[in-house]
């Protein structure tokens, strides 16, 4: 009573309210947090309103919002604070656990028939990986270390899990920027690729009709993941975590005796991991660690590498056609599909083909280089890891 009469109780309440204010987001917010929140809202807008890669952009966008709720130091709630829940979930990103599981699911969902029926389409997927090595050289020229340049270059493969896996090994401090850039450009395939495809091709080339893919036997489908694993991993052993899981998932699907495992890998498992990887990658964009000059430069180089990869894929098809007989020529519009954005890049090939000929369906043909791009980006990541790791 005496403390209340002397004003002590009021001072005590005032101090508590002051302490409460000090731990709120309003008291700790910076302009950087606000910028990143706007970025997160933009990702959500693209994913929900325009349906651009919603399976990726919605969890990433929401993760950006979560990661940029301001808080006072020592509260153990941020993705980078040891002991926090987000930090435990981020373990799978930081240590490269989630990407192989994503590849397992991709393998279990994928039919490689288009690639098996026309193996020369694999060379298109290989050519598109030039974007990775082109970006590597650009990053070196911009002053990044060799390891950082290798991690940045992988963005050109348009493969988010591969980008996370490689950057976790070569440049963990830049993993957030690299992952966000890689997933962003995967979503922006419809914006970045069509103008390059039109610029590099003539009207006559866009009207090329390709032979229907030949039927593939069950034995060929079963042998493909086994032979693919042995060939690629003997060549690049450091790509084993990604390639091994990719081919395992495909064998589970094609063997016909592990349907439950294939269904789990290509359904619930990949869905759970996609949520976790999107959320934690988004949360890793805390303004205090993310908004740097290097991060912004990563986005510029990432866009450049993606465009280089598209140019390389389309131009390589034109070069390849010089050696192919009439009737066996390849429509250059499928060259863009050499990047790993499956099946979105292949859909762009289809849409562009139908734009110039309403009866020219390129989707099945484009899936060949598109799937080759998945393998090619993992091989490229293995090469980078072997040289720079």
């Amino acid at each position: 009573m005496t403390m209340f009469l002397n004003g002590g109780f009021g001072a005590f309440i005032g101090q508590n309210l002051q302490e409460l204010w000090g731990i709120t987001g309003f008291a700790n917010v910076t302009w950087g947090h606000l910028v990143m929140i706007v970025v997160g809202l933009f990702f959500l807008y693209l994913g929900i309103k325009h349906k651009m890669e919603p399976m990726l952009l919605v969890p990433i966008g929401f993760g950006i919002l979560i990661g940029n709720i301001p808080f006072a130091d020592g509260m153990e709630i941020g993705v980078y604070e040891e002991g926090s829940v987000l930090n435990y979930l981020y373990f799978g990103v930081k240590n490269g656990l989630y990407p192989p599981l994503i590849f397992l699911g991709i393998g279990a969902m994928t039919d490689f028939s288009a690639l098996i029926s026309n193996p020369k389409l694999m060379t298109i997927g290989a050519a598109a990986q030039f974007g990775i090595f082109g970006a590597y050289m650009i990053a070196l020229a911009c002053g990044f270390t060799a390891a950082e340049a290798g991690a940045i270059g992988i963005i050109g493969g348009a493969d988010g899990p591969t980008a996370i896996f490689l950057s976790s090994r070569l440049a963990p401090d830049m993993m957030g920027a690299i992952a966000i850039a890689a997933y962003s450009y995967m979503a922006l395939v419809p914006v970045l690729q069509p103008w390059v495809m039109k610029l590099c091709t003539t009207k006559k080339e866009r009207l090329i009709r390709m032979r229907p893919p030949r039927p593939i036997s069950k034995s060929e489908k079963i042998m493909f993941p086994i032979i693919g694993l042995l060939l690629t991993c003997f060549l690049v052993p450091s790509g084993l975590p990604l390639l091994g899981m990719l081919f395992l998932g495909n064998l589970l699907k094609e063997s016909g005796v592990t349907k439950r495992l294939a269904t789990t890998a290509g359904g619930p498992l990949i869905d759970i991991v996609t949520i976790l990887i999107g959320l934690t990658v988004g949360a890793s964009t805390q303004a205090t660690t993310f908004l740097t000059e290097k991060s912004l430069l990563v986005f510029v180089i990432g866009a450049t590498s993606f465009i280089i990869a598209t140019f390389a894929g389309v131009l390589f098809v034109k070069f390849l056609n010089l050696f192919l007989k009439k009737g066996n020529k390849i429509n250059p519009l499928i060259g863009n599909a050499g990047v790993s954005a499956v099946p979105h890049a292949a859909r762009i090939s289809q849409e562009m083909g139908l734009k110039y000929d309403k009866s020219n369906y390129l989707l099945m043909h484009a899936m060949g280089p598109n799937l080759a791009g998945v393998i090619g980006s993992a091989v490229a990541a293995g090469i980078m890891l072997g040289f720079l790791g």
Side-chain angles (χ1 to χ4, degrees):
M1 179 64 72
T2 303
M3 180 179 69
F4 177 77
L5 293 174
N6 292 335
F9 183 75
F12 176 74
I13 294 297
Q15 182 180 354
N16 284 347
L17 290 175
Q18 186 175 7
E19 291 176 355
L20 176 62
W21 171 257
I23 64 174
T24 64
F26 296 104
N28 292 280
V29 70
T30 66
W31 68 269
H33 290 112
L34 298 178
V35 168
M36 292 308 302
I37 287 173
V38 170
V39 172
L41 293 174
F42 181 63
F43 273 43
L44 291 174
Y45 171 76
L46 292 179
I48 297 172
K49 176 67 176 179
H50 295 284
K51 298 180 181 178
M52 297 176 65
E53 289 290 333
M55 299 286 285
L56 297 175
L57 292 192
V58 171
I60 289 176
F62 202 80
I64 293 174
L65 299 185
I66 289 176
N68 285 280
I69 300 296
F71 57 86
D73 293 337
M75 296 183 68
E76 293 188 0
I77 56 176
V79 72
Y80 295 112
E81 293 190 300
E82 294 292 336
S84 72
V85 173
L86 284 176
N87 183 258
Y88 285 124
L89 295 178
Y90 190 59
F91 177 89
V93 173
K94 184 172 60 176
N95 293 278
L97 175 63
Y98 294 152
L101 295 178
I102 293 283
F103 265 66
L104 176 67
I106 292 173
M109 294 189 298
T110 302
D111 183 354
F112 284 93
S113 296
L115 184 59
I116 300 171
S117 68
N118 193 354
K120 62 176 173 287
L121 296 179
M122 186 170 288
T123 60
I124 303 174
Q129 306 313 312
F130 182 76
I132 294 176
F133 298 99
Y136 171 71
M137 291 184 285
I138 293 173
L140 285 177
C142 290
F144 288 96
T145 66
E148 290 173 339
I152 294 169
I154 205 67
I155 297 172
D159 192 328
T162 303
I164 291 173
F165 178 79
L166 188 62
S167 58
S168 70
R169 296 292 189 274
L170 298 182
D173 294 339
M174 301 179 62
M175 185 163 47
I178 291 169
I180 292 294
Y183 279 117
S184 298
Y185 295 129
M186 285 175 64
L188 292 175
V189 163
V191 177
L192 294 173
Q193 289 198 320
W195 68 271
V196 177
M197 298 161 67
K198 186 175 180 180
L199 179 66
C200 294
T201 56
T202 65
K203 185 176 180 179
K204 182 179 178 181
E205 289 173 327
R206 297 172 204 143
L207 297 175
I208 292 176
R209 286 178 173 269
M210 299 175 63
R211 289 183 175 179
R214 68 176 179 83
I216 304 300
S217 68
K218 183 176 178 63
S219 297
E220 287 178 289
K221 289 185 176 183
I222 293 175
M223 291 302 297
F224 177 78
I226 298 172
I227 295 174
L229 171 71
L230 296 176
L231 288 179
T232 57
C233 292
F234 264 82
L235 179 65
V236 187
S238 49
L240 184 59
L242 298 179
L243 292 166
M245 296 296 269
L246 175 71
F247 289 124
L248 171 60
N250 189 242
L251 184 61
L252 293 178
K253 173 183 182 293
E254 302 297 354
S255 67
V257 296
T258 52
K259 185 177 180 180
R260 285 174 53 193
L261 299 182
T263 300
T264 299
L269 178 61
I270 195 172
D271 289 342
I272 291 170
V273 178
T274 298
I275 293 171
L276 293 176
I277 203 170
L279 177 68
T280 52
V281 163
S284 71
T285 63
Q286 286 184 6
T288 50
T289 58
F290 184 80
L291 279 181
T292 64
E293 184 178 339
K294 277 190 172 183
S295 295
L296 298 178
L297 194 54
V298 165
F299 276 82
V300 175
I301 297 174
T304 304
S305 67
F306 196 88
I307 292 170
I308 290 173
T310 306
F311 267 108
V314 175
L315 293 177
F316 180 78
V317 175
K318 291 165 69 74
F319 172 75
L320 197 61
N321 278 341
L322 296 175
F323 305 95
L324 298 177
K325 296 179 181 179
K326 188 175 181 180
N328 290 328
K329 292 188 182 295
I330 301 171
N331 192 313
L333 290 178
I334 73 170
N336 74 297
V339 298
S340 301
V342 178
H344 318 291
R347 287 177 186 159
I348 298 301
S349 304
Q350 167 86 340
E351 291 169 8
M352 290 287 286
L354 292 176
K355 182 178 179 181
Y356 296 99
D357 182 348
K358 297 297 183 182
S359 61
N360 192 10
Y361 297 93
L362 297 174
L363 183 61
M364 284 306 297
H365 302 291
M367 283 303 296
N370 209 182
L371 296 172
V374 175
I375 298 172
S377 65
V379 170
I383 292 173
M384 290 287 193
L385 190 58
F387 278 105
L388 305 173

